[in-house]
PDB file of all heavy atoms in Angstrom:
ATOM      1  N   GLY N 240       9.457  13.050  -9.735  1.00  0.00           N
ATOM      2  CA  GLY N 240       9.815  13.142 -11.144  1.00  0.00           C
ATOM      3  C   GLY N 240      10.115  14.529 -11.672  1.00  0.00           C
ATOM      4  O   GLY N 240      10.068  14.758 -12.889  1.00  0.00           O
ATOM      5  N   PHE N 241      10.480  15.464 -10.798  1.00  0.00           N
ATOM      6  CA  PHE N 241      10.683  16.832 -11.279  1.00  0.00           C
ATOM      7  C   PHE N 241      11.955  16.980 -12.112  1.00  0.00           C
ATOM      8  O   PHE N 241      12.076  17.934 -12.893  1.00  0.00           O
ATOM      9  CB  PHE N 241      10.687  17.813 -10.106  1.00  0.00           C
ATOM     10  CG  PHE N 241       9.326  17.972  -9.467  1.00  0.00           C
ATOM     11  CD1 PHE N 241       9.159  17.786  -8.111  1.00  0.00           C
ATOM     12  CD2 PHE N 241       8.228  18.288 -10.236  1.00  0.00           C
ATOM     13  CE1 PHE N 241       7.911  17.917  -7.522  1.00  0.00           C
ATOM     14  CE2 PHE N 241       6.967  18.429  -9.665  1.00  0.00           C
ATOM     15  CZ  PHE N 241       6.808  18.242  -8.306  1.00  0.00           C
ATOM     16  N   ASP N 242      12.893  16.066 -11.982  1.00  0.00           N
ATOM     17  CA  ASP N 242      14.064  16.109 -12.870  1.00  0.00           C
ATOM     18  C   ASP N 242      13.638  15.851 -14.313  1.00  0.00           C
ATOM     19  O   ASP N 242      14.087  16.534 -15.246  1.00  0.00           O
ATOM     20  CB  ASP N 242      15.135  15.107 -12.423  1.00  0.00           C
ATOM     21  CG  ASP N 242      14.602  13.689 -12.258  1.00  0.00           C
ATOM     22  OD1 ASP N 242      13.360  13.497 -12.198  1.00  0.00           O
ATOM     23  OD2 ASP N 242      15.425  12.757 -12.185  1.00  0.00           O
ATOM     24  N   ASN N 243      12.742  14.882 -14.508  1.00  0.00           N
ATOM     25  CA  ASN N 243      12.229  14.630 -15.857  1.00  0.00           C
ATOM     26  C   ASN N 243      11.428  15.815 -16.377  1.00  0.00           C
ATOM     27  O   ASN N 243      11.470  16.129 -17.573  1.00  0.00           O
ATOM     28  CB  ASN N 243      11.339  13.382 -15.854  1.00  0.00           C
ATOM     29  CG  ASN N 243      12.146  12.101 -15.731  1.00  0.00           C
ATOM     30  OD1 ASN N 243      13.352  12.093 -15.964  1.00  0.00           O
ATOM     31  ND2 ASN N 243      11.485  11.019 -15.360  1.00  0.00           N
ATOM     32  N   LEU N 244      10.702  16.476 -15.469  1.00  0.00           N
ATOM     33  CA  LEU N 244       9.918  17.632 -15.907  1.00  0.00           C
ATOM     34  C   LEU N 244      10.830  18.774 -16.356  1.00  0.00           C
ATOM     35  O   LEU N 244      10.549  19.437 -17.366  1.00  0.00           O
ATOM     36  CB  LEU N 244       8.993  18.092 -14.779  1.00  0.00           C
ATOM     37  CG  LEU N 244       8.145  19.333 -15.085  1.00  0.00           C
ATOM     38  CD1 LEU N 244       7.325  19.146 -16.358  1.00  0.00           C
ATOM     39  CD2 LEU N 244       7.246  19.669 -13.904  1.00  0.00           C
ATOM     40  N   ILE N 245      11.911  19.005 -15.640  1.00  0.00           N
ATOM     41  CA  ILE N 245      12.851  20.057 -16.063  1.00  0.00           C
ATOM     42  C   ILE N 245      13.413  19.742 -17.444  1.00  0.00           C
ATOM     43  O   ILE N 245      13.501  20.610 -18.318  1.00  0.00           O
ATOM     44  CB  ILE N 245      13.978  20.208 -15.023  1.00  0.00           C
ATOM     45  CG1 ILE N 245      13.411  20.844 -13.739  1.00  0.00           C
ATOM     46  CG2 ILE N 245      15.135  21.038 -15.579  1.00  0.00           C
ATOM     47  CD1 ILE N 245      14.369  20.853 -12.582  1.00  0.00           C
ATOM     48  N   ASP N 246      13.764  18.462 -17.662  1.00  0.00           N
ATOM     49  CA  ASP N 246      14.254  18.065 -18.985  1.00  0.00           C
ATOM     50  C   ASP N 246      13.174  18.268 -20.045  1.00  0.00           C
ATOM     51  O   ASP N 246      13.465  18.672 -21.181  1.00  0.00           O
ATOM     52  CB  ASP N 246      14.692  16.607 -18.968  1.00  0.00           C
ATOM     53  CG  ASP N 246      15.913  16.373 -18.084  1.00  0.00           C
ATOM     54  OD1 ASP N 246      16.566  17.367 -17.695  1.00  0.00           O
ATOM     55  OD2 ASP N 246      16.208  15.202 -17.774  1.00  0.00           O
ATOM     56  N   ALA N 247      11.923  17.996 -19.683  1.00  0.00           N
ATOM     57  CA  ALA N 247      10.818  18.178 -20.629  1.00  0.00           C
ATOM     58  C   ALA N 247      10.622  19.652 -20.968  1.00  0.00           C
ATOM     59  O   ALA N 247      10.411  20.012 -22.141  1.00  0.00           O
ATOM     60  CB  ALA N 247       9.532  17.593 -20.045  1.00  0.00           C
ATOM     61  N   LEU N 248      10.707  20.510 -19.967  1.00  0.00           N
ATOM     62  CA  LEU N 248      10.542  21.944 -20.211  1.00  0.00           C
ATOM     63  C   LEU N 248      11.623  22.467 -21.161  1.00  0.00           C
ATOM     64  O   LEU N 248      11.362  23.339 -21.998  1.00  0.00           O
ATOM     65  CB  LEU N 248      10.577  22.703 -18.889  1.00  0.00           C
ATOM     66  CG  LEU N 248       9.427  22.418 -17.911  1.00  0.00           C
ATOM     67  CD1 LEU N 248       9.671  23.126 -16.579  1.00  0.00           C
ATOM     68  CD2 LEU N 248       8.085  22.833 -18.494  1.00  0.00           C
ATOM     69  N   ALA N 249      12.808  21.909 -21.028  1.00  0.00           N
ATOM     70  CA  ALA N 249      13.903  22.339 -21.908  1.00  0.00           C
ATOM     71  C   ALA N 249      13.670  21.930 -23.352  1.00  0.00           C
ATOM     72  O   ALA N 249      14.283  22.497 -24.269  1.00  0.00           O
ATOM     73  CB  ALA N 249      15.225  21.764 -21.399  1.00  0.00           C
ATOM     74  N   LEU N 250      12.793  20.940 -23.569  1.00  0.00           N
ATOM     75  CA  LEU N 250      12.512  20.466 -24.924  1.00  0.00           C
ATOM     76  C   LEU N 250      11.367  21.209 -25.592  1.00  0.00           C
ATOM     77  O   LEU N 250      11.119  21.017 -26.790  1.00  0.00           O
ATOM     78  CB  LEU N 250      12.162  18.967 -24.882  1.00  0.00           C
ATOM     79  CG  LEU N 250      13.270  18.005 -24.454  1.00  0.00           C
ATOM     80  CD1 LEU N 250      12.714  16.586 -24.358  1.00  0.00           C
ATOM     81  CD2 LEU N 250      14.438  18.050 -25.440  1.00  0.00           C
ATOM     82  N   LEU N 251      10.652  22.054 -24.853  1.00  0.00           N
ATOM     83  CA  LEU N 251       9.508  22.750 -25.444  1.00  0.00           C
ATOM     84  C   LEU N 251       9.964  23.675 -26.566  1.00  0.00           C
ATOM     85  O   LEU N 251      10.993  24.350 -26.453  1.00  0.00           O
ATOM     86  CB  LEU N 251       8.774  23.548 -24.367  1.00  0.00           C
ATOM     87  CG  LEU N 251       8.041  22.710 -23.307  1.00  0.00           C
ATOM     88  CD1 LEU N 251       7.477  23.609 -22.209  1.00  0.00           C
ATOM     89  CD2 LEU N 251       6.932  21.880 -23.939  1.00  0.00           C
ATOM     90  N   PRO N 252       9.203  23.725 -27.658  1.00  0.00           N
ATOM     91  CA  PRO N 252       9.636  24.542 -28.819  1.00  0.00           C
ATOM     92  C   PRO N 252       9.567  26.034 -28.522  1.00  0.00           C
ATOM     93  O   PRO N 252       8.865  26.484 -27.614  1.00  0.00           O
ATOM     94  CB  PRO N 252       8.636  24.152 -29.906  1.00  0.00           C
ATOM     95  CG  PRO N 252       7.448  23.608 -29.173  1.00  0.00           C
ATOM     96  CD  PRO N 252       7.964  22.978 -27.928  1.00  0.00           C
ATOM     97  N   ASP N 253      10.285  26.784 -29.312  1.00  0.00           N
ATOM     98  CA  ASP N 253      10.408  28.225 -29.086  1.00  0.00           C
ATOM     99  C   ASP N 253       9.091  28.970 -29.257  1.00  0.00           C
ATOM    100  O   ASP N 253       8.941  30.078 -28.733  1.00  0.00           O
ATOM    101  CB  ASP N 253      11.454  28.812 -30.052  1.00  0.00           C
ATOM    102  CG  ASP N 253      12.855  28.294 -29.748  1.00  0.00           C
ATOM    103  OD1 ASP N 253      13.078  27.857 -28.600  1.00  0.00           O
ATOM    104  OD2 ASP N 253      13.708  28.321 -30.659  1.00  0.00           O
ATOM    105  N   ASP N 254       8.150  28.374 -29.992  1.00  0.00           N
ATOM    106  CA  ASP N 254       6.904  29.102 -30.230  1.00  0.00           C
ATOM    107  C   ASP N 254       5.949  29.048 -29.038  1.00  0.00           C
ATOM    108  O   ASP N 254       4.883  29.658 -29.084  1.00  0.00           O
ATOM    109  CB  ASP N 254       6.196  28.582 -31.488  1.00  0.00           C
ATOM    110  CG  ASP N 254       5.724  27.140 -31.341  1.00  0.00           C
ATOM    111  OD1 ASP N 254       6.335  26.384 -30.570  1.00  0.00           O
ATOM    112  OD2 ASP N 254       4.732  26.774 -32.007  1.00  0.00           O
ATOM    113  N   LEU N 255       6.325  28.336 -27.980  1.00  0.00           N
ATOM    114  CA  LEU N 255       5.499  28.287 -26.773  1.00  0.00           C
ATOM    115  C   LEU N 255       6.143  29.151 -25.692  1.00  0.00           C
ATOM    116  O   LEU N 255       7.265  28.897 -25.247  1.00  0.00           O
ATOM    117  CB  LEU N 255       5.352  26.847 -26.264  1.00  0.00           C
ATOM    118  CG  LEU N 255       4.479  26.691 -25.013  1.00  0.00           C
ATOM    119  CD1 LEU N 255       3.030  27.092 -25.315  1.00  0.00           C
ATOM    120  CD2 LEU N 255       4.522  25.257 -24.478  1.00  0.00           C
ATOM    121  N   ASP N 256       5.421  30.176 -25.269  1.00  0.00           N
ATOM    122  CA  ASP N 256       5.883  31.057 -24.191  1.00  0.00           C
ATOM    123  C   ASP N 256       5.333  30.492 -22.880  1.00  0.00           C
ATOM    124  O   ASP N 256       4.124  30.463 -22.666  1.00  0.00           O
ATOM    125  CB  ASP N 256       5.364  32.473 -24.432  1.00  0.00           C
ATOM    126  CG  ASP N 256       5.885  33.458 -23.384  1.00  0.00           C
ATOM    127  OD1 ASP N 256       6.777  33.084 -22.600  1.00  0.00           O
ATOM    128  OD2 ASP N 256       5.372  34.593 -23.348  1.00  0.00           O
ATOM    129  N   TRP N 257       6.215  30.026 -22.003  1.00  0.00           N
ATOM    130  CA  TRP N 257       5.772  29.356 -20.789  1.00  0.00           C
ATOM    131  C   TRP N 257       6.556  29.831 -19.580  1.00  0.00           C
ATOM    132  O   TRP N 257       7.660  30.366 -19.686  1.00  0.00           O
ATOM    133  CB  TRP N 257       5.914  27.831 -20.923  1.00  0.00           C
ATOM    134  CG  TRP N 257       7.344  27.400 -21.173  1.00  0.00           C
ATOM    135  CD1 TRP N 257       7.944  27.227 -22.385  1.00  0.00           C
ATOM    136  CD2 TRP N 257       8.348  27.094 -20.181  1.00  0.00           C
ATOM    137  NE1 TRP N 257       9.264  26.847 -22.224  1.00  0.00           N
ATOM    138  CE2 TRP N 257       9.538  26.745 -20.882  1.00  0.00           C
ATOM    139  CE3 TRP N 257       8.370  27.073 -18.792  1.00  0.00           C
ATOM    140  CZ2 TRP N 257      10.707  26.394 -20.227  1.00  0.00           C
ATOM    141  CZ3 TRP N 257       9.550  26.718 -18.128  1.00  0.00           C
ATOM    142  CH2 TRP N 257      10.697  26.384 -18.850  1.00  0.00           C
ATOM    143  N   HIS N 258       5.965  29.625 -18.397  1.00  0.00           N
ATOM    144  CA  HIS N 258       6.667  29.836 -17.139  1.00  0.00           C
ATOM    145  C   HIS N 258       6.165  28.781 -16.158  1.00  0.00           C
ATOM    146  O   HIS N 258       4.968  28.533 -16.057  1.00  0.00           O
ATOM    147  CB  HIS N 258       6.403  31.232 -16.557  1.00  0.00           C
ATOM    148  CG  HIS N 258       7.282  31.549 -15.387  1.00  0.00           C
ATOM    149  ND1 HIS N 258       8.508  32.172 -15.516  1.00  0.00           N
ATOM    150  CD2 HIS N 258       7.132  31.290 -14.051  1.00  0.00           C
ATOM    151  CE1 HIS N 258       9.070  32.295 -14.332  1.00  0.00           C
ATOM    152  NE2 HIS N 258       8.255  31.768 -13.426  1.00  0.00           N
ATOM    153  N   TRP N 259       7.115  28.158 -15.449  1.00  0.00           N
ATOM    154  CA  TRP N 259       6.771  27.094 -14.499  1.00  0.00           C
ATOM    155  C   TRP N 259       7.033  27.571 -13.082  1.00  0.00           C
ATOM    156  O   TRP N 259       8.106  28.106 -12.782  1.00  0.00           O
ATOM    157  CB  TRP N 259       7.581  25.836 -14.794  1.00  0.00           C
ATOM    158  CG  TRP N 259       7.333  24.706 -13.836  1.00  0.00           C
ATOM    159  CD1 TRP N 259       6.135  24.141 -13.522  1.00  0.00           C
ATOM    160  CD2 TRP N 259       8.322  23.974 -13.073  1.00  0.00           C
ATOM    161  NE1 TRP N 259       6.301  23.119 -12.617  1.00  0.00           N
ATOM    162  CE2 TRP N 259       7.638  22.993 -12.325  1.00  0.00           C
ATOM    163  CE3 TRP N 259       9.709  24.063 -12.957  1.00  0.00           C
ATOM    164  CZ2 TRP N 259       8.290  22.091 -11.473  1.00  0.00           C
ATOM    165  CZ3 TRP N 259      10.365  23.174 -12.119  1.00  0.00           C
ATOM    166  CH2 TRP N 259       9.662  22.201 -11.385  1.00  0.00           C
ATOM    167  N   THR N 260       6.048  27.351 -12.196  1.00  0.00           N
ATOM    168  CA  THR N 260       6.178  27.667 -10.771  1.00  0.00           C
ATOM    169  C   THR N 260       6.115  26.374  -9.970  1.00  0.00           C
ATOM    170  O   THR N 260       5.215  25.550 -10.187  1.00  0.00           O
ATOM    171  CB  THR N 260       5.046  28.605 -10.322  1.00  0.00           C
ATOM    172  OG1 THR N 260       5.162  29.842 -11.033  1.00  0.00           O
ATOM    173  CG2 THR N 260       5.120  28.879  -8.826  1.00  0.00           C
ATOM    174  N   HIS N 261       7.074  26.212  -9.073  1.00  0.00           N
ATOM    175  CA  HIS N 261       7.089  25.024  -8.208  1.00  0.00           C
ATOM    176  C   HIS N 261       6.882  25.427  -6.758  1.00  0.00           C
ATOM    177  O   HIS N 261       7.480  26.394  -6.273  1.00  0.00           O
ATOM    178  CB  HIS N 261       8.406  24.249  -8.325  1.00  0.00           C
ATOM    179  CG  HIS N 261       8.466  23.099  -7.368  1.00  0.00           C
ATOM    180  ND1 HIS N 261       8.977  23.224  -6.092  1.00  0.00           N
ATOM    181  CD2 HIS N 261       8.000  21.825  -7.471  1.00  0.00           C
ATOM    182  CE1 HIS N 261       8.854  22.070  -5.466  1.00  0.00           C
ATOM    183  NE2 HIS N 261       8.263  21.210  -6.274  1.00  0.00           N
ATOM    184  N   ILE N 262       6.051  24.650  -6.051  1.00  0.00           N
ATOM    185  CA  ILE N 262       5.810  24.853  -4.623  1.00  0.00           C
ATOM    186  C   ILE N 262       6.197  23.586  -3.882  1.00  0.00           C
ATOM    187  O   ILE N 262       5.744  22.496  -4.227  1.00  0.00           O
ATOM    188  CB  ILE N 262       4.333  25.191  -4.346  1.00  0.00           C
ATOM    189  CG1 ILE N 262       3.947  26.508  -5.023  1.00  0.00           C
ATOM    190  CG2 ILE N 262       4.067  25.265  -2.843  1.00  0.00           C
ATOM    191  CD1 ILE N 262       2.473  26.837  -4.922  1.00  0.00           C
TER     192      ILE N 262
END
Side-chain angles (χ1 to χ4, degrees):
F241 290 126
D242 53 345
N243 286 343
L244 178 55
I245 289 171
D246 294 346
L248 295 174
L250 294 175
L251 291 174
D253 294 338
D254 65 333
L255 181 64
D256 183 10
W257 60 269
H258 189 91
W259 178 55
T260 297
H261 176 270
I262 297 174

